[in-house]
Structure formats: structure tokens, C-alpha cells
Amino acid sequence: MPDRSEVAYFGAGPAPLPTEVLVKGAEAFVNFQNTGLSLVEISHRSQTANQILADTKAALTTLLDIPDTHEILFMHGGGSAEFSAVVLNMVAVWVERRRREAEKDLGQDSSKIIERVKKGLREDLRLDYLVTGSWSLKASQEAANLLEPLGPGFVNVAVDSRKGTSGKFDNIPPEDTWNLTKSQSTGGKASAFVYYCDNETVDGVEFPHFPECLNESPEVPIVADMSSNFLSRRVDVSKYAVIFGGAQKNIGITDVTLVIVRKDLLSTQPPPSFLHAVGVWSPPTILNWSTVAKNNSLYNTMPIFSIWIAGEVMRGLLERHKDRQLAGQEELANKKAKQIYDVLDRYPDVFQVVPDRSVRSRMNICFRVNGGDAAQEKAFLEGAEAQLLQGLKGHRSVGGIRISNYNAVDVTKVERLTTYLEDFASKTKS
């Protein structure tokens, strides 16, 4: 049986955790801080649980330099649940703004207010999605499904990176080709939000920076799924209305979803009865950001152990990089990714990186072996497993090889992997 230190794990999620966090977690699972109780046994409404929430929020706020304009929520359901939560909460915000405008013009005539907002929904409501990979595609499909009772056409796929290329998610088209809903400043109605996935885990595509064109319409809320590159680089949180991410990649273990939401959105929610009157579903309580915020993420029983693990990971990053915070982790992530890509590029006849060089992910490095030769890819994976290099098989929907270079994958593990890549390529070419 191999020792933990002998295994180099590159799985896409659940992902590796720092060993020191796991050791502390094992102790906390049996007897947390000498209380005689496991951390999974304590009340989620206890002083201990509330302190864990506060400490984890504080660590995340420091790492990302989160401004006072934003609130941190801990939720369930992973990124997939937020696909729905984003639509239901943000459409509610859009409706409430229209309701308030109508109320100013029409007074308290509820029937006229409802009719005006209904008409506005049919004519003006648009949700813009930048589809650059499997997860943003799923998010856009969920949005279309939730809005189907209102009719077609509410989801505007402003970008579909499969079009005009190989039919694969291997690029991000130039911003001047994006078909975004026109903003109010350019004579349009403006979308309820623009949604994108910052790093596509399945396809290995990552936005190299915040899209420049989204700076041109500051009135349009920006929503980003950062599940698989969360805490791997600096982020200007003030540019976003909503950032969310599942914890099980760079933050912690499954069953916690982090949501960073602008506070003004939490107070811009109509009564559920009004949403229903205009034909829109209200957010289910468990996905209602306002409800979760008002209850300090404790409306229902939260997995305090999982939140504590996330906090330990965050505090570890702070301790490791000191005042540099995420600048230090970004530098390290870039260094590891470069080491891997340099070897892959050195042997183009053996390894073919899938995404365009300009959008290569630092977190999920996707490539084929000998053009996708099944026997060669099987041999590659078997050889890696024999050297305890694990978790390298590509996502079932696309195949190939995927190296997940998350924060807990240390440099020594990357060096072992690059040595194997070199050896495999040399043997294959000879």
C-alpha cells in the first residue's frame, strides 16, 4: 500500500487537499479542539459554528480583498445549483427594478403595474451567456429551461466558441465578434446579466483576464462561475455582481458552494406573489440569496466541517504567501502550468494540446496522445498509474488526458509528472 506522499494526484474534482489540512481534519472529525465532540456533531447554530463561519469569511475576504459592497454566502448544490440560482435571483432583481419604475409612473395601481412589467418581460428580458465550454453550455441550457414557460428567446448565447472552428470548445472568439445585448448607453435595453465560466474544467479553456468589452457597460451585472480556478489568481471582485464556485477543487471538499454577491442585489427582490403574477418563478428558499444572507448562511443545517476545511485551506494560503496573498499563489500556479506546457510543446508529434495557446487553462491541461490514438492513450494512463501518477484520464464527454494543476498539487508532484511526460515521449518517438 503506497504512502500518501508517494501518490501524485491530478484529478479534476474532488481534488487533492494539503496533507496538513487533512491531518487537522482527521483530528477535528474525532475530537474538535478537545471538546469531546466531532466537528460533524456540533450544532450549526452553536457559538463554535458561528465562529467558524466568521473566520472562513474573514480569510476569504483577505485573500480576495472583497469590498464591503459584497456578501459571502455558503450554500449547497455545487455550481450546478447556482446555474438555477443565478437565473431565478437575477431575473427577480430585473423584475423588481421594473416594478419600482412602474410604481413611480403608475402609483399603486397593481393591475397596471403587473401588465407593464409583463409586457417588459416579453419584450426586453434577455440573459447573455458566453458559451466557451461544457459548463457554460450547461448553465445556458438550464437558463433556457427555467424560462421556457415564458416562451423562447430570453437566453442570448452571445458567444458559442464551437462555431466557425472545429466544432470543439478550444478557443474564445475575439470580443468584437460577441453578440451581446445592446446596453442602455448604446440604445438597447441591456441584459439582466452577462454570464461566463472563467475556467472550463472539461475543455481546458480559461479566460486570460476579465473581458475588456464588459467594462464598457458597468450597469450590466456580471456573473462568473469560478469553480475550478478559484483562489488561483487575483480577482477584482468589484467588477462582478456575482462570483460562485464549488469548493471541491481549490477550496475544500464537496457539499459547500461559495457565492460572493453584491449586497444591493439582495435588497432588490420583489414579493414572490408579484413574480408569480407576472409569470416568473420565485427562487426556492434554499436557493434564495437574500434568505441565505439574512440567516448568515444558516437557514438550514450547513456542513460546518466542510466550511472549516475550506477555512483551513484559505488560512494555509495566507500563511504561505503572507502579504503577497493571491499574487504568490498566482505566480506558483503559472510556474507549474508552464512546466507542463513546455514539455507538451516540446513533443508536438506525441502530445497535442487541445485549446488554442491564447486560452490554455492553468488549472486543467487537456491534451491528446498521438492524435487521440486509443491504444497510445491507454498506454500513457497505465504507465502513469504504475508510477502512482493518478487522476489523469480526461472527462468522459471528451476523452483524452487531463492534468488538473490545482493549488494543492505541489511543485515536486509536477516535476515527477513532467519527467514521466519526457520519458513517454522519448520512448514513443524511438
Side-chain angles (χ1 to χ4, degrees):
M1 181 179 295
D3 183 78
R4 177 176 174 81
S5 63
E6 298 176 286
V7 175
Y9 184 63
F10 300 93
L17 284 165
T19 298
E20 59 270 22
V21 172
L22 289 174
V23 171
K24 290 181 181 179
E27 294 174 359
F29 200 85
V30 177
N31 186 354
F32 181 66
Q33 295 183 350
N34 295 317
T35 60
L37 288 174
S38 166
L39 193 48
V40 301
E41 295 174 319
I42 69 166
S43 168
H44 64 295
R45 302 199 185 281
S46 65
Q47 183 178 350
T48 299
N50 275 271
Q51 190 62 53
I52 287 170
L53 284 168
D55 291 345
T56 304
K57 284 184 179 182
L60 183 59
T61 298
T62 301
L63 279 169
L64 283 174
D65 195 19
I66 299 173
D68 290 339
T69 52
H70 287 64
E71 181 64 75
I72 299 169
L73 309 178
F74 300 101
M75 299 185 68
H76 297 283
S80 295
E82 291 308 306
F83 295 168
S84 302
V86 164
V87 175
L88 296 171
N89 284 278
M90 294 302 291
V91 169
V93 168
W94 188 94
V95 168
E96 175 61 5
R97 287 174 174 164
R98 290 302 182 97
R99 187 193 70 80
R100 292 179 185 181
E101 290 174 5
E103 191 173 71
K104 285 181 182 179
D105 295 339
L106 303 172
Q108 299 300 314
D109 191 327
S110 59
S111 60
K112 287 184 178 180
I113 292 172
I114 289 170
E115 285 307 310
R116 178 185 284 192
V117 176
K118 268 187 177 180
K119 184 174 185 293
L121 272 168
R122 292 191 297 269
E123 296 177 357
D124 301 336
L125 178 64
R126 295 294 181 275
L127 318 182
D128 285 357
Y129 279 76
L130 312 182
V131 176
T132 57
S134 302
W135 290 112
S136 52
L137 175 63
K138 288 185 177 182
S140 70
Q141 291 169 336
E142 179 71 351
N145 179 55
L146 289 171
L147 295 176
E148 187 177 7
L150 291 175
F154 292 101
V155 175
N156 172 43
V157 176
V159 176
D160 185 339
S161 64
R162 296 170 298 181
K163 295 181 178 179
T165 60
S166 60
K168 297 179 181 178
F169 289 121
D170 58 8
N171 72 100
I172 298 176
E175 292 184 21
D176 60 6
T177 67
W178 297 2
N179 184 33
L180 294 166
T181 301
K182 286 187 176 181
S183 64
Q184 292 173 341
S185 60
T186 57
K189 298 295 185 181
S191 60
F193 59 83
V194 176
Y195 178 107
Y196 72 97
C197 180
D198 204 33
N199 182 75
E200 291 282 0
T201 319
V202 171
D203 308 283
V205 171
E206 184 176 29
F207 279 82
H209 51 72
F210 184 83
E212 292 292 336
C213 67
L214 299 185
N215 287 316
E216 298 170 6
S217 303
E219 76 274 16
V220 178
I222 309 302
V223 178
D225 175 359
M226 295 189 181
S227 291
S228 54
N229 64 353
F230 208 81
L231 301 186
S232 70
R233 65 181 179 187
R234 291 162 291 180
V235 174
D236 185 351
V237 175
S238 68
K239 290 180 179 288
Y240 297 88
V242 183
I243 296 171
F244 69 85
Q248 68 275 12
K249 301 181 188 297
N250 265 337
I251 310 168
I253 58 180
T254 56
D255 200 28
V256 174
T257 310
L258 279 80
V259 181
I260 304 170
V261 58
R262 214 171 62 211
K263 289 178 180 177
D264 66 288
L265 302 177
L266 301 174
S267 58
T268 312
Q269 295 284 326
S273 58
F274 188 85
L275 287 170
H276 303 158
V278 299
V280 175
W281 291 340
S282 57
T285 304
I286 199 66
L287 296 180
N288 188 311
W289 294 334
S290 295
T291 299
V292 174
K294 288 174 184 174
N295 289 274
N296 190 32
S297 297
L298 293 172
Y299 178 83
N300 69 319
T301 307
M302 283 302 293
I304 298 301
F305 179 77
S306 301
I307 295 171
W308 178 82
I309 288 285
E312 286 295 307
V313 170
M314 294 172 195
R315 286 184 286 276
L317 287 173
L318 288 169
E319 177 62 27
R320 180 175 193 173
H321 300 295
K322 308 297 183 185
D323 292 341
R324 299 197 68 208
Q325 299 172 18
L326 284 187
Q329 187 58 43
E330 181 176 2
E331 182 179 293
L332 181 58
N334 293 346
K335 175 185 176 182
K336 293 188 297 172
K338 184 178 185 303
Q339 284 181 280
I340 296 168
Y341 280 122
D342 281 352
V343 176
L344 296 176
D345 290 339
R346 200 173 298 140
Y347 301 97
D349 294 336
V350 180
F351 305 123
Q352 296 82 41
V353 178
V354 175
D356 183 79
R357 186 182 294 267
S358 64
V359 296
R360 288 178 173 181
S361 170
R362 301 161 306 121
M363 295 290 102
N364 306 104
I365 298 166
C366 299
F367 63 96
R368 304 308 299 249
V369 178
N370 282 18
D373 181 275
Q376 286 293 317
E377 291 187 339
K378 181 180 179 182
F380 177 90
L381 292 170
E382 288 177 348
E385 287 281 346
Q387 296 191 28
L388 299 180
L389 303 169
Q390 300 178 357
L392 292 168
K393 188 174 182 179
H395 191 272
R396 63 186 181 278
S397 65
V398 295
I401 313 298
R402 175 174 56 180
I403 301 167
S404 292
N405 175 40
Y406 295 134
N407 288 352
V409 176
D410 63 39
V411 173
T412 60
K413 303 290 175 66
V414 169
E415 289 172 348
R416 281 177 54 192
L417 176 60
T418 54
T419 298
Y420 173 68
L421 289 169
E422 292 268 11
D423 292 344
F424 183 89
S426 298
K427 291 174 183 177
T428 301
K429 288 174 68 70
S430 61

